[in-house]
Amino acid sequence: MDPLSLHEPMSHATDSSVGVLVLHGFTGSTFSMRPVAEFFADRGYAVEMPLLPGHGTTWQDMDTYSYQDWVEAVDQAYWRLQQRKRKVVVFGLSMGGTLALVQAARRDVDAVIVVNPFVKDMKPTMRFAHLLARFTPALDAIGSDIQKPDTDEHGYQATPLLSVRQLHLLGKEARRSLRSIICPVLVFKSREDHVIPVSSVEHLRQCLPHTRVVHLDNSYHVATLDYDAPTIFARSLEFIEELDNSSR
């Protein structure tokens, strides 16, 4: 298989009244979210799944993009979906969840679904990552935190520090935005996650007390490729069907 084919974006058009915008995580790619996108496409929903700038190529490529570039890519995909759909659901994993929350605060989004979202810095040093990058450009990879054996999300084998700084800035943007979100939010949180601490979901629930949280017992961070993926798909479908039925 051509390595680049693992990271292709996806656009699926239908006449359904709901469209789903699917967003992958930091240093990952559409590979980690393809099962989600295909699940909803198979059930007749319109789907947009962009490959975020700097992802799906090399980790050095990430250093040339800012978090605003990621936000803009999400916005472009949102408008492609919104042009032909009345309702838009944004579904994100990890940093994709952060971007979903930011999008919900700035645009007319009807619901948000996030899996192990990043909201608060994992470490205080994230804000100084651009300074640390003067001494070492990258740290070890954070991808493929998956309980299921022999499963790989095909993310980068290093974590660029300049991009870690951009992730920190995106998190600040998300925290500023949370109280502007008025749509329903569904959160899936792995009980054992070696990437994002529980403080992110705790902060999210503090700002959005009506958020629904579903705990995942048998998955690590990349839960969309892990044992609990069927639970994520089924509960998300129920959530979206509730939204769709409420408009009829």
Side-chain angles (χ1 to χ4, degrees), residues 5 8-9 17 30 36-37 70 87 112 167 178 201 217 221 223 242:
S5 68
E8 290 179 351
S17 61
T30 53
V36 175
W70 303 332
K87 294 183 178 294
V112 170
L167 181 62
L178 285 178
V201 170
D217 295 322
H221 183 63
E242 287 178 17

Side-chain angles (χ1 to χ4, degrees), residues 70-82:
W70 303 332
V71 171
E72 178 60 25
V74 171
D75 205 40
Q76 290 176 8
Y78 166 85
W79 286 115
R80 290 196 297 271
L81 203 57
Q82 201 273 345

Side-chain angles (χ1 to χ4, degrees), residues 14-69:
T14 73
D15 293 328
S16 66
S17 61
V18 176
V20 185
L21 175 53
V22 180
L23 305 172
H24 66 79
F26 184 74
T27 72
S29 77
T30 53
F31 183 86
S32 63
M33 295 298 282
R34 194 164 302 279
V36 175
E38 292 179 347
F39 175 85
F40 287 111
D42 289 346
R43 281 150 186 82
Y45 290 97
V47 174
E48 289 289 340
M49 181 175 63
L51 178 65
L52 298 173
H55 292 76
T57 54
T58 66
W59 67 262
Q60 292 90 343
D61 193 30
M62 282 192 71
D63 283 345
T64 64
Y65 294 96
S66 69
Y67 84 91
Q68 292 99 331
D69 294 316

Side-chain angles (χ1 to χ4, degrees), residues 10-174:
M10 176 175 169
S11 182
H12 178 74
T14 73
D15 293 328
S16 66
S17 61
V18 176
V20 185
L21 175 53
V22 180
L23 305 172
H24 66 79
F26 184 74
T27 72
S29 77
T30 53
F31 183 86
S32 63
M33 295 298 282
R34 194 164 302 279
V36 175
E38 292 179 347
F39 175 85
F40 287 111
D42 289 346
R43 281 150 186 82
Y45 290 97
V47 174
E48 289 289 340
M49 181 175 63
L51 178 65
L52 298 173
H55 292 76
T57 54
T58 66
W59 67 262
Q60 292 90 343
D61 193 30
M62 282 192 71
D63 283 345
T64 64
Y65 294 96
S66 69
Y67 84 91
Q68 292 99 331
D69 294 316
W70 303 332
V71 171
E72 178 60 25
V74 171
D75 205 40
Q76 290 176 8
Y78 166 85
W79 286 115
R80 290 196 297 271
L81 203 57
Q82 201 273 345
Q83 283 177 356
R84 58 184 188 265
K85 300 298 150 194
R86 295 178 183 171
K87 294 183 178 294
V88 175
V89 177
V90 191
F91 192 132
L93 166 68
S94 193
M95 183 186 78
T98 323
L99 290 164
L101 294 166
V102 170
Q103 189 69 9
R106 66 198 297 261
R107 300 297 185 202
D108 184 14
V109 168
D110 295 276
V112 170
I113 303 171
V114 291
V115 180
N116 295 322
F118 162 71
V119 177
K120 296 192 70 176
D121 286 354
M122 292 83 84
K123 296 180 179 179
T125 53
M126 284 181 64
R127 70 181 64 185
F128 306 114
H130 60 303
L131 302 177
L132 298 174
R134 299 175 183 175
F135 305 97
T136 180
L139 299 177
D140 293 340
I142 60 172
S144 294
D145 183 36
I146 303 170
Q147 184 179 145
K148 196 173 183 179
D150 303 318
T151 305
D152 192 326
E153 68 168 319
H154 299 282
Y156 289 151
Q157 297 305 304
T159 304
L161 282 172
L162 289 178
S163 296
V164 170
R165 165 69 174 178
Q166 294 303 312
L167 181 62
H168 160 74
L169 295 174
L170 177 63
K172 286 182 64 176
E173 179 74 17

